[in-house]
Amino acid sequence: MIEFDKISDFFSEFYDFKLSDERSYFDFHLHTTQAKRRGSLPFYLEFLKDKHHLIAITDHNEIKGAISVAEAGINNVPAIELACKDGFEILIYFRKLQDLEDFYIREVECRKHFCRMERTDKDIEYYLDVLVGRDCYLSIPHINGLAGHNYLQNKPYIKKILTRVDAIETYNHSLPKNRNINAQIIRRSYELDATFGSDSCTNRDIESFYRLLNQELRRQHKWMESLKLPLGSDRLYKPSSSHKGNSD
């Protein structure tokens, strides 16, 4: 189940529409061909043109895709999926494209590994320190993912990291249901917000996620109607504090 009600109000300034039963698309973990994926700008333009939407292009250690969709007028949260030296990946969202560009130039572009360009030469704790005080929002993707993306198993310092972020990605369309459920359990344990996304590799994955997303929205609306909740209570976000910064 996608946790629409656990999304932070950080994202609220990026859209001014209510959720609808159909033709809505929200995706906070999306890739483009700039990151050697198959989702392309022409496809996104065609796919989103008749939909209420809010997306975040989160290419690995790259922002060309995020800049391209912004210039094309697509409703996009400036973001990046930062891949660190230690193999830890984190989704970083900014309010302004300029803030994303500044962070990328200062802390990512110049630190890319000379032979592994999808990693930097600094670990996750370095970046958490650097991000303290910046107007950004942090979410851990695929926390219970496959192989190296299963941080619960292969990152012994994961509990410390969990105290320094704002959210956990509790639905990743590329993962089995049980792994997403486990991410939701961890989110509740640490009282964090939730993000969700397709983590798409192909256009087909995006279309599949769109169908699931709207099934979940319809189910939520039926639940709200059964409770007779007031009009306007179906906003995507909820109040939330900014990321925790340094844990010391």
Side-chain angles (χ1 to χ4, degrees):
M1 180 178 179
I2 297 176
E3 298 184 300
F4 297 107
D5 59 327
K6 301 303 180 183
I7 298 297
S8 168
D9 64 349
F10 176 89
F11 300 101
S12 64
E13 66 185 73
F14 293 98
Y15 72 103
D16 59 2
F17 53 88
K18 295 181 184 300
L19 299 183
S20 63
D21 283 350
E22 59 183 355
R23 311 209 72 77
S24 294
Y25 189 76
F26 297 93
D27 194 335
F28 300 106
H29 189 173
L30 195 57
H31 296 287
T32 72
T33 50
Q34 298 293 345
K36 299 181 182 178
R37 302 295 182 116
R38 299 181 188 177
S40 66
L41 180 57
F43 169 78
Y44 293 142
L45 285 169
E46 179 65 24
F47 176 70
L48 296 171
K49 69 180 182 181
D50 58 348
K51 298 175 179 65
H52 294 301
H53 66 273
L54 178 61
I55 67 169
I57 297 298
T58 54
D59 289 336
H60 293 91
N61 291 356
E62 185 55 75
I63 63 171
K64 291 177 182 177
I67 293 172
S68 295
V69 298
E71 292 176 344
I74 293 175
N75 193 18
N76 180 66
V77 182
I80 188 171
E81 185 167 11
L82 179 68
C84 305
K85 175 183 178 180
D86 53 345
F88 203 100
E89 295 178 1
I90 189 164
L91 299 169
I92 309 174
Y93 304 92
F94 294 88
R95 296 185 193 276
K96 299 177 181 179
L97 187 60
Q98 183 59 52
D99 293 339
L100 170 63
E101 292 177 318
D102 178 71
F103 172 74
Y104 175 75
I105 293 170
R106 292 175 180 269
E107 298 293 347
V108 182
E109 186 176 39
C110 60
R111 301 191 186 282
K112 288 185 180 182
H113 194 283
F114 70 95
C115 63
R116 302 182 67 179
M117 298 300 286
E118 287 195 353
R119 287 196 184 184
T120 68
D121 60 5
K122 297 293 184 180
D123 63 20
I124 182 60
E125 294 209 49
Y126 168 85
Y127 282 106
L128 290 176
D129 289 341
V130 164
L131 290 165
V132 172
R134 285 182 178 260
D135 190 11
C136 61
Y137 187 86
L138 310 179
S139 180
I140 300 175
H142 41 65
I143 192 171
N144 190 40
L146 304 173
H149 285 166
N150 191 330
Y151 305 145
L152 297 177
Q153 288 188 353
N154 62 36
K155 296 292 184 286
Y157 46 83
I158 184 61
K159 291 183 178 179
K160 184 177 180 181
I161 303 304
L162 282 163
T163 67
R164 303 189 64 185
V165 300
D166 303 294
I168 294 175
E169 182 181 71
T170 59
Y171 184 84
N172 182 303
H173 198 55
S174 69
L175 295 178
K177 181 179 180 180
N178 66 313
R179 292 181 181 269
N180 286 319
I181 290 175
N182 192 246
Q184 293 178 15
I185 293 170
I186 299 297
R187 182 201 62 74
R188 288 195 293 269
S189 297
Y190 281 82
E191 299 182 332
L192 296 172
D193 299 329
T195 60
F196 55 85
S198 64
D199 194 6
S200 66
C201 297
T202 67
N203 297 345
R204 181 178 296 179
D205 289 338
I206 296 170
E207 292 168 340
S208 170
F209 181 59
Y210 169 65
R211 291 191 293 271
L212 174 82
L213 191 72
N214 280 273
Q215 289 174 3
E216 291 285 311
L217 286 172
R218 286 192 291 272
R219 183 166 64 180
Q220 175 180 279
H221 285 181
K222 289 180 180 178
W223 174 75
M224 293 176 68
E225 288 174 359
S226 71
L227 295 178
K228 301 186 184 304
L229 293 177
L231 183 66
S233 59
D234 59 338
R235 292 289 290 179
L236 179 63
Y237 60 91
K238 71 173 186 63
S240 170
S241 58
S242 60
H243 69 90
K244 299 173 179 60
N246 199 314
S247 61
D248 294 337

